[in-house]
Amino acid sequence: MVSELTTEKLEPKEGLFVLHLFYRFEAGTTAGSEVSTKRLLSAVETLLAEARGTHRSQAATLSLIGRADLGFVFLSPDLYRLHSWEKRLGALLGRHGWTKVFSFFSMTERSDYTTSEEEHADQLTSQEGLVPGSPEFEEKMKSFRERMRHYTEVRLYPTLPDWRFFAFYPMNKKREPGANWYALPFSERKELMQGHARIGRRYAGRVIQYVTGSTGLDDWEWGVTLFSQDPYEVKAIVAEMRFDPVSAQYGEFGPFFTGLQAPVDEVILRLAGSA
């Protein structure tokens, strides 16, 4: 196992590695005695405890609906550890009738489209008539820097919530004639993304969203992970954003995986306990 064979670390310049893993239980593929199921559960819980006890690492467990049964979301700054958890988990579950149906590897990242200090200073001058260097101007710039510092910290080092409902989907930006996101000038992309973000902010306190980057790491360019207390809110925000130009003209979307946050023993025993 990687974590037992090396003490070397592979850490990014900034942010965390993120891994989504989704499994389906194939009933009848294993004898699945009560003893073997309990052994599986004990081993998986030990692995999860290791992940949750590792510096800046997290693990969420999911009871999925429809195309998968059991899901995991891992965050870690150490790719060797993340790799170890994936392979160990796959080996454990594979021996007991669980098949991986989807995975997604990405990283937390900054947004390319946030307002810069220079832009905010220009807005204070042109829109509010404040004089650079004045006490009010400096106080507002200080408040802006603090907001941006917090925003960047949350983007790069998020804390997974314990909210009940979960949804995930991968996405790309189009490169089609007449709808090529990457052919647009940066200023136009930034204006579009800031409008897109305003929709998301209207759901603050109702939906928590993490957008992680996977360009060069996986088949899709981004992964979108959503948490809420009420599935209605996830349905509402996704539906509203579909009409925004960023999605309507330039978005391509992969399969959706939805479900509930749940203890891993609840999911495994429900499906495999009597196999």
Side-chain angles (χ1 to χ4, degrees), residues 201-220:
R201 286 196 291 272
R202 292 205 293 269
Y203 287 82
R206 294 180 286 160
V207 177
I208 296 175
Q209 174 179 278
Y210 302 113
V211 180
T212 54
S214 49
T215 302
L217 303 178
D218 213 312
D219 292 342
W220 298 82

Side-chain angles (χ1 to χ4, degrees), residues 26-248:
E26 304 292 345
T29 60
T30 178
S33 69
E34 183 177 347
V35 172
S36 67
T37 298
K38 288 182 177 179
R39 286 175 179 167
L40 166 65
L41 184 56
S42 176
V44 172
E45 288 180 330
T46 297
L47 186 152
L48 290 170
E50 177 186 323
R52 290 166 176 158
T54 298
H55 176 63
R56 266 191 164 167
S57 297
Q58 301 169 63
T61 56
L62 311 161
S63 179
L64 298 173
I65 299 168
R67 55 169 46 97
D69 297 312
L70 173 63
F72 300 87
V73 181
F74 290 98
L75 283 75
S76 181
D78 185 351
L79 187 55
Y80 277 114
R81 285 186 178 272
L82 194 69
H83 180 249
S84 171
W85 297 330
E86 179 203 2
K87 299 311 176 191
R88 289 161 55 192
L89 189 61
L92 287 167
L93 292 170
R95 290 195 296 266
H96 291 80
W98 295 85
T99 301
K100 183 168 63 179
V101 295
F102 189 84
S103 66
F104 193 79
F105 177 47
S106 60
M107 295 176 65
T108 60
E109 62 180 14
R110 299 171 183 263
S111 171
D112 292 331
Y113 304 109
T114 54
T115 301
S116 67
E117 277 197 34
E118 293 78 10
E119 288 171 330
H120 188 67
D122 287 343
Q123 290 170 5
L124 293 179
T125 302
S126 63
Q127 297 177 17
E128 300 186 33
L130 299 181
V131 178
S134 66
E136 188 177 2
F137 179 91
E138 294 302 324
E139 183 61 31
K140 291 203 171 186
M141 286 302 298
K142 179 182 177 182
S143 176
F144 171 78
R145 293 187 191 103
E146 180 59 26
R147 289 199 309 274
M148 294 309 297
R149 185 203 64 77
H150 175 72
Y151 171 78
T152 300
E153 179 72 13
V154 169
R155 289 268 312 201
L156 293 175
Y157 304 101
T159 299
L160 295 177
D162 60 359
W163 291 15
R164 296 177 296 179
F165 188 72
F166 163 91
F168 168 82
Y169 60 93
M171 63 166 292
N172 290 332
K173 291 292 197 301
K174 289 182 180 178
R175 293 178 174 83
E176 299 175 358
N180 188 334
W181 176 259
Y182 296 96
L184 295 176
F186 176 78
S187 59
E188 187 173 345
R189 284 186 279 122
K190 183 170 184 174
E191 183 178 355
L192 286 168
M193 285 303 297
Q194 289 182 337
H196 197 65
R198 282 193 289 272
I199 296 175
R201 286 196 291 272
R202 292 205 293 269
Y203 287 82
R206 294 180 286 160
V207 177
I208 296 175
Q209 174 179 278
Y210 302 113
V211 180
T212 54
S214 49
T215 302
L217 303 178
D218 213 312
D219 292 342
W220 298 82
E221 295 173 329
W222 290 276
V224 180
T225 304
L226 305 170
F227 291 93
S228 71
Q229 296 288 15
D230 182 348
Y232 176 87
E233 302 294 355
V234 168
K235 186 174 182 295
I237 190 174
V238 171
E240 185 173 354
M241 284 189 165
R242 285 295 191 270
F243 290 92
D244 183 79
V246 171
S247 295

